Each structure stands twice: as structure tokens, then as C-alpha cells.
Amino acid sequence: MKPIDIFKALSNETRLQILEWLKEPEKHFTSQEMRDFQDVGVCVTQFHEKLNVTQSTASQHLSILYRAGLVTIKRHGKWTYYKRNEEAFNQLKEIIEHEI
């Protein structure tokens, strides 16, 4: 977890919006067939629909968040699901408090 990668990922309004939605996914997304938000996360399809962008663009934003360690990925068949990595946010808090 490199701070510079995290801050780069957080420097985009769309990615900040994604993280906000993932904080309380049940408030921001429609229910998923046979999947629980808290268990598996949110399907990439839901992001591209909510953001009104192509699936490729949504996937690029999510990939940046994943590489920064801010989200986790679970794959079920052909579907990819994303969740916030709360441990990364705790580590980021520590970095800000003690190193910056």
C-alpha cells in the first residue's frame, strides 16, 4: 500500500463517488440477484449503469481503486464484485496521522 497510489486514486471525483457508494451499497444500488452486498460487494454492471458510463470506463476506475488497495474483488463466474477495503482506510488514517 503506497500512499502516492492511494492519493492518486482519490484524486478523481468519480472514484470518490464510487467509494462513497460502497460505504453503504444497500442505499445506493438496486438489489442483486442472489448476491448480498455485504457478503460479495457490488457488481461492476451496477457501477456502469449508475455512473452512466461504459462498462470499460467503470472497470478502469475500479481497477485503479483496486491497485491502490482501496477495494477488494470477488469473482463469481463471469461477474466481478467490488467492496470497500475498510482495513486500507484504517491504514490510510494511520499514515495521515503519523507520517504526513
Side-chain angles (χ1 to χ4, degrees):
M1 184 171 163
K2 295 181 182 177
I4 193 71
D5 293 332
I6 293 168
F7 291 118
K8 283 180 183 179
L10 295 174
S11 70
N12 179 278
E13 188 174 346
T14 300
R15 292 191 288 272
L16 288 173
Q17 182 68 70
I18 289 169
L19 291 170
E20 182 183 326
W21 291 337
L22 285 174
K23 192 169 188 175
E24 297 179 286
E26 57 284 337
K27 287 176 66 175
H28 300 285
F29 296 97
T30 58
S31 63
Q32 304 172 117
E33 195 173 309
M34 298 176 10
R35 300 283 182 226
D36 176 35
F37 291 125
Q38 298 304 319
D39 183 38
V40 258
V42 178
C43 183
V44 68
T45 303
Q46 295 230 28
F47 289 107
H48 99 82
E49 291 171 356
K50 189 162 182 78
L51 291 167
N52 197 29
V53 297
T54 65
Q55 190 160 339
S56 174
T57 299
S59 292
Q60 287 175 350
H61 285 299
L62 291 160
S63 290
I64 290 167
L65 292 170
Y66 175 72
R67 286 193 305 271
L70 298 171
V71 298
T72 60
I73 294 176
K74 280 191 180 181
R75 289 191 170 77
H76 290 276
K78 64 180 182 173
W79 308 108
T80 305
Y81 296 84
Y82 293 84
K83 285 176 56 173
R84 276 174 58 113
N85 181 357
E86 295 302 334
E87 180 57 32
F89 285 93
N90 291 332
Q91 290 176 5
L92 178 58
K93 179 182 173 187
E94 291 295 316
I95 289 169
I96 291 170
E97 287 180 354
H98 300 290
E99 295 180 29
I100 297 178

